[in-house]
Amino acid sequence: MSEQPSAIHSQWSSRFAFILAATGSAVGLGNIWKFPYITGENGGGAFVLIYLLCVLLLGAPIMISEIMIGRRGRQSPINAMLALSREAAANPGWRYLGWLGIAAGFLILAYYSVIAGWALDYVFKAFLGEFLDRDAGEIQSLYTHLMADPLTQIFWHSVFMAATLYIVMRGVNAGLEHAVRFLMPALFFIMLFLVGYAMTSGGYQQGLHFMFHPDFSKIGANAILTAMGHAFFTLSLGMGAIMVYGSYLPPHVSIAKTTFIIAGADTAVALLAGIAIFPLVFANQLQVGSGPGLIFQTLPLAFGEMTGGWLFGVLFFVLLFLAALTSSISLIEPAVAWLVENHGHDRYRASLHAGLACWLLGVGVAFSFNIWSQHKIFNKNLFELLDFLTANIMLPLGGLGIALFAGWFMRAEHSEEELELPPEQFRIWRALIRYVAPPAIILVFLHALGVMG
Ligand code: PFF
């Protein structure tokens, strides 16, 4: 099956192109914006450790499985699951896993786009020199002003969504590949540079201690669920994004090797972001648990003080915007591929329809930071609700489904044929995907529900 390229979709031009695109999907706001603030909220080192374990033991084997299913299925997640469940003589109901993924991508993109909009707003703040010679309080008030201003947020959210749709409309090769080629290395270098700056700020030791000294007394059931959910979120797993990218992967490319490159790069960027940010938090007596505003209240301080900070500030927020863009295109791609396959839409119309609906929900998210901040469901505003529902529930559930399907339903000869691994490595993957991932995900869910003390 994997020898036949899909008739509707194109393929990546090379293995390198796939790695760039999948790394582009994985590295995004999750690494630079979300990882530091949830680490701050969940007490530091122990949370980081659980997150790393989740990446290694759940994320890597599930990423291998998702790429494998995508490449063998060669279609959008819904149709790939349908095709492979037929091949495995399993229940066609597995296709609902694809549906769950499309829904998750849609809900994530609605808020992702608003946060990416903040990054765009900060490009202009940096450009206009608004960070220069400001103290921590002044930098904080730049952020609170933006939060209080729904129209500015909606404006940038619209710009970001338009940029996403523009790339998605242009299709796999022209649009997606070109967008990531230069971006990833540039982002990596600027993170290294920021880490260098953080080393000179007074809080370096304290920042490192916070991130790497595990104190398990700070970890509750919810923190474990958040760490696991974030492992899925940051690697773009559990919703078909990596699956749909896998479906454009040429045959005989080593799926396991590419997975380790992608997951390694993703983890490196997240750790660098934390190492750059926490020293600034401690050096300026800021709160580690200050939530989604953390990077917007810390990094501008560094840009305001350092030599050349104007340039680095502009560059950093431009790169953050671009990193978000290479992720957002993968959030909407499963829906677009499905509309093309099942509704005969061209990519243009498919992107437009999916994008408009997402944009509308994003307007609600922008309101949730101001005029709707008191409208709560389960004690969460719309942003918090979407984040919790997608990252902590839908993605791990999707990951569970993928692990069960790849480990227990797909025939072993088929996965062997697709993965082309030495027997020893194949056994490790199969043991992880059958006996480690499903029970671990279920246990974390039960623990969070309070079922198990
Ligand atoms: N991995 C992206 C990030 O860390 O920012 C977010 C993301 C993209 C999640 C694509 C899920 C996804 F399918």
Side-chain angles (χ1 to χ4, degrees):
M1 199 183 268
S2 66
E3 300 292 333
Q4 291 165 13
S6 145
I8 310 179
H9 307 293
S10 35
Q11 284 195 23
W12 301 113
S13 55
S14 65
R15 173 179 111 112
F16 186 57
F18 169 75
I19 292 178
L20 279 176
T23 311
S25 166
V27 176
L29 296 175
N31 308 61
I32 299 168
W33 159 76
K34 193 173 181 192
F35 172 73
Y37 93 75
I38 58 176
T39 299
E41 282 177 338
N42 290 287
F47 178 85
V48 173
L49 192 65
I50 299 171
Y51 150 80
L52 290 175
L53 280 176
C54 288
V55 166
L56 196 68
L57 297 178
L58 309 178
I62 290 177
M63 184 179 281
I64 292 177
S65 313
E66 255 201 71
I67 301 174
M68 171 183 83
I69 293 173
R71 183 167 70 182
R72 200 167 177 85
R74 283 253 170 266
Q75 295 160 78
S76 72
I78 295 175
N79 292 329
M81 287 309 299
L82 193 61
L84 292 201
S85 54
R86 287 208 183 106
E87 186 189 49
N91 191 316
W94 280 105
R95 72 178 182 285
Y96 292 111
L97 202 56
W99 276 109
L100 179 74
I102 287 186
F106 179 82
L107 298 178
I108 294 173
L109 184 55
Y111 74 80
Y112 205 84
S113 170
V114 174
I115 313 290
W118 300 354
L120 273 173
D121 186 66
Y122 270 59
V123 170
F124 282 84
K125 282 191 170 41
F127 185 77
L128 296 173
E130 291 192 31
F131 305 146
L132 301 178
D133 300 319
R134 300 284 181 122
D135 63 27
E138 290 166 325
I139 294 288
Q140 230 160 9
S141 83
L142 288 177
Y143 175 74
T144 35
H145 270 97
L146 176 62
M147 287 309 98
D149 179 356
L151 287 184
T152 304
Q153 290 188 54
I154 291 169
F155 172 73
W156 291 118
H157 157 57
S158 311
V159 172
F160 183 80
M161 198 59 101
T164 302
L165 296 183
Y166 174 75
I167 297 182
V168 173
M169 281 170 187
R170 296 188 62 199
V172 173
N173 301 95
L176 308 195
E177 280 191 31
H178 283 145
V180 283
R181 192 143 289 191
F182 301 103
L183 175 66
M184 286 298 122
L187 186 71
F188 198 77
F189 283 114
I190 199 162
M191 292 311 305
L192 277 181
F193 176 82
L194 285 173
V195 166
Y197 179 80
M199 288 170 96
T200 66
S201 77
Y204 192 58
Q205 294 300 335
Q206 227 179 327
L208 281 193
H209 185 267
F210 178 76
M211 264 187 81
F212 295 113
H213 192 270
D215 175 359
F216 283 95
S217 67
K218 294 186 178 155
I219 292 289
N222 225 348
I224 301 178
L225 179 65
T226 306
M228 177 176 84
H230 188 64
F232 285 101
F233 183 87
T234 191
L235 294 172
S236 306
L237 294 178
M239 59 142 282
I242 288 294
M243 193 187 290
V244 84
Y245 276 15
S247 77
Y248 309 141
L249 185 65
H252 303 303
V253 167
S254 163
I255 291 178
K257 262 191 226 148
T258 46
T259 290
F260 278 95
I261 297 174
I262 298 161
D266 185 76
T267 308
V269 174
L271 294 178
L272 287 178
I275 301 172
I277 286 165
F278 285 112
L280 296 173
V281 171
F282 291 107
N284 293 284
Q285 282 96 38
L286 297 167
Q287 295 297 321
V288 278
S290 37
L294 187 66
I295 65 159
F296 297 98
Q297 294 169 22
T298 46
L299 294 181
L301 276 169
F303 300 132
E305 281 167 11
M306 63 171 73
T307 2
W310 178 86
L311 181 66
F312 283 111
V314 174
L315 212 60
F316 173 80
F317 285 109
V318 168
L319 283 171
L320 184 61
F321 155 69
L322 293 173
L325 196 58
T326 56
S327 300
S328 64
I329 52 187
S330 73
L331 283 162
I332 205 170
E333 181 66 23
V336 170
W338 178 76
L339 285 170
V340 169
E341 285 163 12
N342 283 42
H343 290 267
H345 284 27
D346 52 27
R347 282 189 70 88
Y348 179 82
R349 266 195 34 206
S351 315
L352 203 63
H353 287 174
L356 272 179
C358 236
W359 177 83
L360 202 60
L361 187 59
V363 170
V365 173
F367 286 151
S368 76
F369 294 101
N370 34 71
I371 54 176
W372 287 357
S373 64
Q374 294 316 313
H375 290 358
K376 298 201 172 181
I377 308 172
F378 299 123
N379 209 19
K380 292 181 185 334
N381 65 32
L382 183 62
F383 159 69
E384 292 162 344
L385 187 71
L386 289 178
D387 177 36
F388 184 82
L389 192 70
T390 52
N392 292 13
I393 313 266
M394 294 170 88
L395 299 187
L397 264 185
L400 174 64
I402 284 161
L404 289 175
F405 185 81
W408 295 94
F409 289 86
M410 224 175 131
R411 299 245 300 274
E413 335 51 294
H414 290 161
S415 40
E416 236 172 335
E417 183 184 308
E418 212 56 52
L419 296 180
E420 297 176 317
L421 281 173
E424 187 56 23
Q425 292 176 18
F426 182 73
R427 267 200 296 274
I428 297 176
W429 168 77
R430 208 163 141 80
L432 286 173
I433 212 71
R434 280 164 77 92
Y435 303 114
V436 176
I441 298 171
I442 292 169
L443 282 180
V444 175
F445 271 139
L446 292 179
H447 189 44
L449 283 172
V451 180
M452 325 167 4

